[in-house]
Amino acid sequence: MTAEKEAVATVAGLMALAARTAPKAKGQDEILIAVLTAAQQKKLSRAMTEYGRKNGVGFFLRDAGNVAASDACIVIGTRGKAFVGINCGACGYPSCAAFAKAAGAAKKRTTPFAGPNCAVRMADLGIAVGSAAKTAQIHNVDNRIMYSAGSIAMALGFLGKDCTAAYAIPLSASGKSIYFDRPTPK
C-alpha cells in the first residue's frame, strides 16, 4: 500500500468520525456509517453497473467506474422512519403519529430510497454527509457524494435493514480528480 492509499484509509476513518459527531436533532443519533472493504467496494461497483444497464441509467454506469477506481468508499445513511417527535409536518403528515402509521404501512421498497422518511432525519443525514465531505476536503482527498452508490449500497444491505436513505462518498488520491470531466454513458 502506498503512503497516499494509507492516508486515504485514515481519512475515511476521520470522515466516519465527522459524520458520527455531526449535530443531530434533539441529540438523537440515527446515522448509519460503513467504511467499505475492498471486496464490498467491488461488489458495489458491479451492482451499480448491473443496475445502470438494466434500467438504462447512464450516470450509474459512470459512477460505478468511479467507485471501482477509488481508493476507498464510505457510506452514510439514516433510519428515516425513526421520527423525532416534534410534529413539524415537514414529512407531509400532520403529526409524527400519522407519519409513523404511514411508515408502518409502507409497502416493500420499489424505489432506491424507502419512504416515507422523517424530514428532520433527512436533514441530519445531509449534515452528516456534508461533515464527512468537508473532512475529506480538509485533508486534500478527492471525493464525490453519490446518490447512485448510496442507494445501491443500501440495497446490498451494507448499512443494515433499517436504513431508508444513504449516500456514498468514494475517495481518491491521484494527480487529477477522477470525479470530474466524467462523460455520462447514455
Side-chain angles (χ1 to χ4, degrees):
M1 184 178 281
T2 67
E4 291 91 348
K5 289 189 187 311
E6 287 180 29
V8 171
T10 298
V11 170
L14 293 172
M15 292 169 69
L17 176 64
R20 179 61 63 216
T21 61
K24 294 164 190 78
K26 293 178 69 178
Q28 298 170 348
D29 189 355
E30 297 296 338
I31 297 297
L32 304 162
I33 304 165
V35 176
L36 301 186
T37 65
Q40 287 175 317
Q41 195 170 319
K42 286 179 186 174
K43 184 175 182 178
L44 175 59
S45 176
R46 285 192 303 267
M48 291 171 68
T49 298
E50 181 180 314
Y51 182 90
R53 286 184 180 146
K54 179 181 176 187
N55 294 288
V57 187
F59 75 92
F60 272 73
L61 300 172
R62 177 200 63 205
D63 292 355
N66 280 150
V67 168
S70 294
D71 298 317
C73 187
I74 181 171
V75 184
I76 304 169
T78 191
R79 294 179 193 94
K81 295 193 186 319
F83 58 88
V84 178
I86 58 175
N87 297 322
C88 69
C91 63
Y93 295 94
S95 67
C96 290
F99 165 82
K101 183 177 179 182
K107 306 286 185 232
K108 184 179 177 186
R109 182 168 63 98
T110 58
T111 56
F113 288 173
N117 283 289
C118 172
V120 176
R121 296 295 180 217
M122 296 299 101
D124 287 351
L125 175 59
I127 293 165
V129 168
S131 293
K134 170 210 58 154
T135 299
Q137 182 273 325
I138 286 171
H139 294 287
N140 303 308
V141 177
D142 294 330
N143 67 91
R144 185 75 169 213
I145 298 169
M146 293 185 178
Y147 150 82
S148 56
S151 66
I152 299 299
M154 193 175 83
L156 292 171
F158 291 161
L159 294 175
K161 62 179 174 50
D162 293 334
C163 186
T164 59
Y167 293 91
I169 309 174
L171 307 167
S172 173
S174 61
K176 181 187 179 307
S177 176
I178 65 173
Y179 309 115
F180 291 93
D181 302 329
R182 308 174 311 150
T184 301
K186 300 230 185 248

